[in-house]
Amino acid sequence: MIKKLYNLKKLQIDQHIQQKQQFLANISEIDQDIENTKFSISKATVQTLGAIRDFKVLEIHKNTMREHIAKIEQKKMRLLQEVDRQNKIIMELNKEMEQFKYIIDQEKKAELKKQIKIEDNVAAEYVQSRWMAS
């Protein structure tokens, strides 16, 4: 039963690690999107002989891109919080898994002691039977 719980905790840890990796991949994509948007803001221009309204349109476009950056940075913050939550869950599951591993190790030691005691009794009976036969 303890081994099943141990394996379950191990499986849960693996699942949470995979979720964490997905969040980190999403964060990486967001970082790339932020960099691309910042690059677009810096490269957005109008014709040098353009009208004043062209500059207004350009400014509206830049403001829209800045708002886009703000939105995806908020999404990034939520993902970072989720990564922290996953880390806490993984740590808790790891603690539980270590406890189950300790119990399994103690059971193995007890079983080994039993086995050694049985072998000692068999050896002692063999020696007594050989001694009596002599």
Side-chain angles (χ1 to χ4, degrees):
M1 178 68 172
I2 299 294
K3 283 186 179 183
K4 287 182 182 179
L5 290 172
Y6 174 79
N7 291 334
L8 174 66
K9 294 300 175 184
K10 192 173 182 179
L11 179 66
Q12 288 175 338
I13 288 172
D14 291 342
Q15 289 173 343
H16 285 284
I17 288 173
Q18 287 175 348
Q19 287 178 347
K20 177 183 164 185
Q21 292 301 326
Q22 289 174 347
F23 291 136
L24 291 174
N26 289 342
I27 289 171
S28 177
E29 290 175 11
I30 288 172
D31 286 339
Q32 185 64 36
D33 190 19
I34 289 172
E35 289 301 316
N36 290 340
T37 306
K38 285 181 180 179
F39 182 74
S40 295
I41 289 173
S42 67
K43 295 297 177 182
T45 60
V46 294
Q47 295 177 355
T48 53
L49 301 174
I52 292 179
R53 76 169 195 197
D54 290 342
F55 289 106
K56 286 184 180 180
V57 169
L58 177 63
E59 192 59 35
I60 290 170
H61 176 65
K62 286 184 177 183
N63 287 338
T64 303
M65 287 192 281
R66 287 184 191 114
E67 287 177 18
H68 174 68
I69 289 173
K71 285 179 184 177
I72 58 178
E73 283 180 344
Q74 287 176 353
K75 184 178 179 181
K76 178 182 173 182
M77 288 299 150
R78 285 192 301 270
L79 288 172
L80 286 172
Q81 290 173 348
E82 190 62 32
V83 167
D84 288 341
R85 190 177 75 80
Q86 291 296 325
N87 283 336
K88 289 177 184 176
I89 290 171
I90 290 169
M91 287 180 7
E92 288 299 318
L93 290 171
N94 208 5
K95 286 178 187 177
E96 292 174 15
M97 188 177 80
E98 287 175 4
Q99 290 172 348
F100 290 132
K101 183 165 177 39
Y102 177 77
I103 292 170
I104 290 170
D105 289 343
Q106 293 300 318
E107 287 176 352
K108 284 181 183 177
K109 286 179 185 178
E111 186 64 32
L112 184 62
K113 285 181 183 179
K114 269 188 201 178
Q115 204 64 6
I116 290 172
K117 190 172 184 178
I118 290 170
E119 289 175 5
D120 285 345
N121 287 340
V122 169
E125 288 176 10
Y126 177 76
V127 168
Q128 284 179 357
S129 68
R130 295 293 275 166
W131 183 72
M132 291 183 140
S134 310

